[in-house]
Amino acid sequence: MPEAGLFVGWGAPVRGREAKGLEVLNEGAEYWGRLQQDGRIESFEVVLLYPHGGDLYGFALLRGSHDQLNDVAGDEEFLRLQARGGLLVERLGVVRAALGDGLQQQIGRFQQAIADVT
């Protein structure tokens, strides 16, 4: 079971750039599929949200080990897609996440941090 995730979230498309934004999303999904096929991540999922009045329009969750995701986050193609996507959608963000066994490790870090400041 993966211990870590990489959350790639995005907001509304830039007006007039919707088609290009969708093209880059498709490129991203193809890239993440190659990462999975090559064993560089364990899995990924793309989620498009229905209109809900919020800022988040969709996200992808890449799953793997911390080492795998550290490697991916510094990969030139990942960085290129992130730069292109940031020009085509509002509020593009990439955030690390704790999953599976990594949840207990992260909870332990929070418990230690609480102990350190109290």
Side-chain angles (χ1 to χ4, degrees), residues 94-114:
V94 178
V95 183
R96 296 298 299 264
L99 308 172
D101 292 338
L103 288 172
Q104 287 304 317
Q105 294 170 354
Q106 188 65 3
I107 289 169
R109 288 182 192 104
F110 280 120
Q111 288 172 328
Q112 183 61 50
I114 291 167

Side-chain angles (χ1 to χ4, degrees), residues 12-96:
V14 172
R15 292 198 188 278
R17 304 292 289 163
E18 296 89 351
K20 192 65 170 177
L22 189 55
E23 181 181 312
V24 172
L25 173 60
N26 286 329
E27 287 178 32
E30 290 172 6
Y31 168 67
W32 301 323
R34 287 193 308 273
L35 290 175
Q36 182 177 348
Q37 202 170 35
D38 294 345
R40 295 183 61 199
I41 62 173
E42 292 190 33
S43 65
F44 75 98
E45 184 171 6
V46 177
V47 177
L48 298 177
L49 302 176
Y50 289 107
H52 58 90
D55 292 337
L56 187 64
Y57 274 51
F59 63 91
L61 181 60
L62 286 64
R63 297 176 189 91
S65 69
H66 286 290
D67 288 341
Q68 286 175 315
L69 297 178
N70 285 339
D71 180 57
V72 167
D75 182 77
E76 185 61 33
E77 188 168 359
F78 181 86
L79 295 170
R80 183 183 63 79
L81 285 166
Q82 187 177 351
R84 290 178 66 213
L87 296 172
L88 300 168
V89 297
E90 302 291 334
R91 293 174 292 284
L92 177 68
V94 178
V95 183
R96 296 298 299 264

